[in-house]
Amino acid sequence: MHGHRPRTPEAERSRRWFMNKALLAGGVTAMATMTGCSSDSSDTASSASSSAAPSGAPSGMPSGGPGGGMGPGASEVKYADFVGVTTDGKVVDDLYSIHSTDVSTDKIVKAAQAFMDGLTTKERKASVFDVDDDEWLKWSNVDGYERQGARMGDLTEKQRNLGYALLGAALSADGLAQTRNIMKLNAYLGDYSGGGKDTLTEGSYFFTFMGTPSTSKPWGFQYEGHHLAINYFVLGDQVVMTPTFMGSEPTSATYNGEKITLFKKETKAGLTLLRSLTSAQRKKVISSETKAGDNFKAGAGQDNAQIAYQGLAAKGWTEAQKSNLLDLVRVYVGNMDDGHAEVRMTEVEDHLDDTYFYWIGETKDSSAFYYRVHSPVVLIEYDAQSPIAYETQNRNPTQQHIHTIIRTPNGGDYGVDLLTLHLENDH
């Protein structure tokens, strides 16, 4: 058993309170008023010159959203009870296997070990769990949420740099840039909302490790905080980087003199695919031109969600349309390191004819819309949601508040299926 800080009864009550409060309250407005649990230390790296909060805006207003975080209907699933996202509660068998990808994980292992070696004994104890610990599933995109692990804002600059080096080894250049920009816009939101809330900073993001970094034995890490959750499982040279949640409110702002705009590629790729479809195909893909403030289905706490296929499958599409579909998937898969992203894309392509595309909302460049890509081996959601903490004068959905997620359905998330196969066959 790995040593780690046990979650105190008070912390467990706090987490249960948070979820039950969301379950009972419901709605964007109720979620926006929830305070959650702020961190116990300030973040010296989060000071920024940005817009002051508008008149009447509550100080330190939290962000998040009902369906995208621990919201109505969500609950923590235990690792032993994990099934994964399915269409009907029944897992499709024989989708994943243990095999060599010929893509080395040496750099990732070395970077993870270097980061862990740089932690103090107390920090390491608080951050390391067993490879099949429930902690995998205890993540949320909401800022006011009780988290475990090493908090970036509490680490020294040298320790933080080792953490970023691990992310740099595990992610692509685009994935790392997107991760950092989400953190920066989280700090911008904190300043915009009046400050004084430690969770709305660049430093309120946490590393936890499941197992010990190894080139042969299963292990993984989780990096998460407000609007960001990266789950990264490693077995030999195989990698599973799902579920990965990325979001932001706002999605475009100037922070410390840097103009940051997020999710342009995700927005454009979705529109490009939709617009390449024929009128008859679009009628099957678009369920409605009117979207809700939150259409998200597969967010935190939804690890065993049953989500039926909707929209139109790619079977019978033209090669150009299928290419646009793969380009859309690649935007999300491409956040992981380049070599393993190609391995993942091959897996997706093997099930391309059974991949469904679904859309809610209008179709202009500036429209707030929702889309879903769904097959036996991949589920992607993009949702432009109602504002919660930024420019809330208009409560209509907006591209200034976007949630996205990518999952591996049928037991693949967190590498659960691979770990099960490993334990059954190798031990």
Side-chain angles (χ1 to χ4, degrees), residues 225-246:
H226 187 210
H227 277 140
L228 180 66
I230 298 170
N231 291 283
Y232 206 97
F233 174 84
V234 181
L235 176 59
D237 63 7
Q238 289 182 266
V239 166
V240 177
M241 199 179 98
T242 63
T244 289
F245 178 105
M246 292 185 172

Side-chain angles (χ1 to χ4, degrees), residues 16-39:
R16 286 196 295 271
W17 174 89
F18 184 87
M19 291 183 289
N20 290 336
K21 180 77 172 177
L23 181 64
L24 293 171
V28 170
T29 302
M31 202 68 177
T33 63
M34 294 165 58
T35 58
C37 308
S38 58
S39 183

Side-chain angles (χ1 to χ4, degrees), residues 59-138:
S59 175
M61 176 182 285
S63 183
M70 289 295 185
S75 63
E76 285 183 358
V77 176
K78 298 295 185 181
Y79 193 96
D81 299 324
F82 174 85
V83 175
V85 174
T86 62
T87 58
D88 57 4
K90 299 177 182 178
V91 174
V92 178
D93 294 327
D94 302 323
L95 291 173
Y96 314 111
S97 66
I98 296 176
H99 61 275
S100 175
T101 66
D102 293 324
V103 181
S104 175
T105 55
D106 288 357
K107 289 183 179 180
I108 301 168
V109 171
K110 290 177 181 177
Q113 192 60 63
F115 176 73
M116 292 177 67
D117 288 346
L119 297 176
T120 65
T121 301
K122 182 179 179 181
E123 290 164 344
R124 183 163 180 157
K125 186 177 180 180
S127 305
V128 181
F129 299 80
D130 292 321
V131 71
D132 59 351
D133 198 277
D134 292 342
E135 191 65 26
W136 272 119
L137 284 68
K138 294 179 179 179

